[in-house]
Amino acid sequence: MKLIYIAIDGMGDLPIAALGDKTPLEAAETPNMDFLAKNGKTGLMYTVRRGIAPESDVAVISLLGYDPFKYSTGRGVIEAVGAGLSVADGDLALRCNFATLGPGRRIIDRRVARSLTTDEAAELSKAANENIQLESCPATFEFRNTLGHRAVLVFRGKGRCLSSKITNSDPAYTVINGIGVATPNVEMVLKKSEPLDDTEESRNAAALVNEFTEKAHELWDNHPINQKRAAEGKLKANVVLSRDAGSQLPRFFNICERYGVRFAALADMHAERGIAHLAGMHASLLPPPSGDLEKDCELRVQKLMEMLPSYDCFYIHLKGPDEPGHDGDCHKKAAVISAIDKFFFGGLLKEISLKGHIICITSDHATPCTLKVHSDTPVPVLISGGKVNSDSAEKFCEKTCARGSLGVIEHGYELMPKLMKLLKK
């Protein structure tokens, strides 16, 4: 028996008038996930806990069976590890976005309208690494772009440790009890990072972040890449927004040793790869989404089939619906979910037998199109295959899952032990 555990990024949502008061998942054509729901158990789940609108990293930590309030040490560390950077306790790592800054420190777009190419980002990163000299305290830095507008930043203090007890410069997220949380309806103005305690380590960390932010803006605002973008009528990538600082590596238990299985992860993004690596899994970073969902899904099924004989359990993170959720495009979100059902699950079910496999499908968080940010809305979950009994649900969606026999799972970290118990049956 093998476990295939799929998280579809941002799939959860709320009913939308433009979809006839259906969610995008409910409006989507999903015959393959519906088949799995009809032959399995369904329910709803708070991926972290009620009242928390989690970032993806915190949610994935929870989905893999770790209480994020005990184990999370900040997305920055996880992103940096996933990007292949060396991070040690006492370094300061931050998740970053290239963004567009206007007059009065106003943020015009947090993601440069998703138009920044990875090659353009690499040129801007190279300029920062070669030209910025830090003066606020003795430290070096490494800035690395990852995919599109995304990047990571690591500071290494010379002879002293840095503290993650600082605020974000990115106004869209805040940190609550060490957990990164989306903050809706905030003023889009670049913030200064502030120390959260009265220690030299926190003051130095905030000073370094602010110094890097200002110097990167000065360097990038008239960089040839941005001059060319402006001439073409595109937004400049002229500032870095940073969030979720981390200064300690997380102390995850080894998931393979805990459950006596061989676990592998197939991840779209560096954060998921970093978590999987730190959890003791074999962690593969898939090629970035190409824009051709059929091709991307077929590639992911092919990669899974290649690895299937070598491992017992697989965690697969599919990025698809999150971006149209952030963009408020409910029709595109439903279309993306339909394509994932057709090309990923349709392809997968042609290759495997449900008798020999347990399939779990859920989402790391909801990204409601009406809100355009992550919310604390519970997400649908189904478990099918093996000896799992049937709820006979006709449709995999939030509405039917609310009536499922799994009930409401209050904490995402409760799901993994349930899956392991079913696997051992």
Side-chain angles (χ1 to χ4, degrees), residues 244-275:
D244 300 335
S247 58
Q248 299 290 319
L249 290 164
R251 302 294 191 259
F252 295 139
F253 57 78
N254 185 295
I255 197 168
C256 299
E257 294 175 0
R258 169 66 63 94
Y259 297 114
V261 296
R262 297 168 298 169
F263 221 127
L266 303 176
D268 276 4
M269 306 299 290
H270 293 84
E272 289 82 46
R273 181 196 187 194
I275 294 165

Side-chain angles (χ1 to χ4, degrees), residues 128-143:
N129 287 314
E130 291 180 351
N131 292 284
I132 293 176
Q133 298 292 322
L134 298 173
E135 300 171 291
S136 53
C137 76
T140 61
F141 75 90
E142 191 171 0
F143 183 81

Side-chain angles (χ1 to χ4, degrees), residues 206-375:
L208 287 169
V209 169
N210 293 328
E211 180 184 5
F212 182 88
T213 302
E214 295 300 328
K215 288 185 174 179
H217 174 57
E218 292 172 10
L219 177 66
W220 290 342
D221 196 41
N222 290 304
H223 188 278
I225 288 287
N226 280 319
Q227 291 178 341
K228 182 173 183 291
R229 287 180 62 85
E232 294 172 349
K234 297 177 182 177
L235 292 176
K236 290 183 177 181
N238 65 353
V239 75
V240 61
L241 304 181
S242 60
R243 67 181 196 261
D244 300 335
S247 58
Q248 299 290 319
L249 290 164
R251 302 294 191 259
F252 295 139
F253 57 78
N254 185 295
I255 197 168
C256 299
E257 294 175 0
R258 169 66 63 94
Y259 297 114
V261 296
R262 297 168 298 169
F263 221 127
L266 303 176
D268 276 4
M269 306 299 290
H270 293 84
E272 289 82 46
R273 181 196 187 194
I275 294 165
H277 175 77
L278 291 165
M281 297 184 187
H282 174 83
S284 295
L285 185 65
L286 296 165
S290 67
D292 183 339
L293 262 174
E294 179 176 0
K295 176 184 172 184
D296 291 343
C297 288
E298 288 176 351
L299 174 66
R300 281 147 179 76
V301 173
Q302 178 186 346
K303 183 67 173 177
L304 174 60
M305 290 303 103
E306 290 172 0
M307 297 175 66
L308 197 64
S310 301
Y311 298 92
D312 307 306
C313 302
F314 297 85
Y315 176 76
I316 302 166
H317 198 99
L318 303 176
K319 184 68 177 169
D322 188 52
E323 288 191 359
H326 281 293
D327 295 340
D329 191 337
C330 61
H331 295 288
K332 184 175 181 181
K333 185 170 180 178
V336 168
I337 294 169
S338 297
I340 289 173
D341 182 85
K342 181 177 181 180
F343 299 120
F344 182 82
F345 290 104
L348 177 63
L349 291 176
K350 290 176 183 176
E351 298 286 346
I352 65 167
S353 161
L354 278 185
K355 288 184 178 180
H357 299 82
I358 293 173
I359 297 177
C360 177
I361 305 171
T362 189
S363 182
D364 54 346
H365 53 76
T367 309
C369 294
T370 53
L371 301 177
K372 299 185 181 181
V373 294
H374 300 181
S375 75

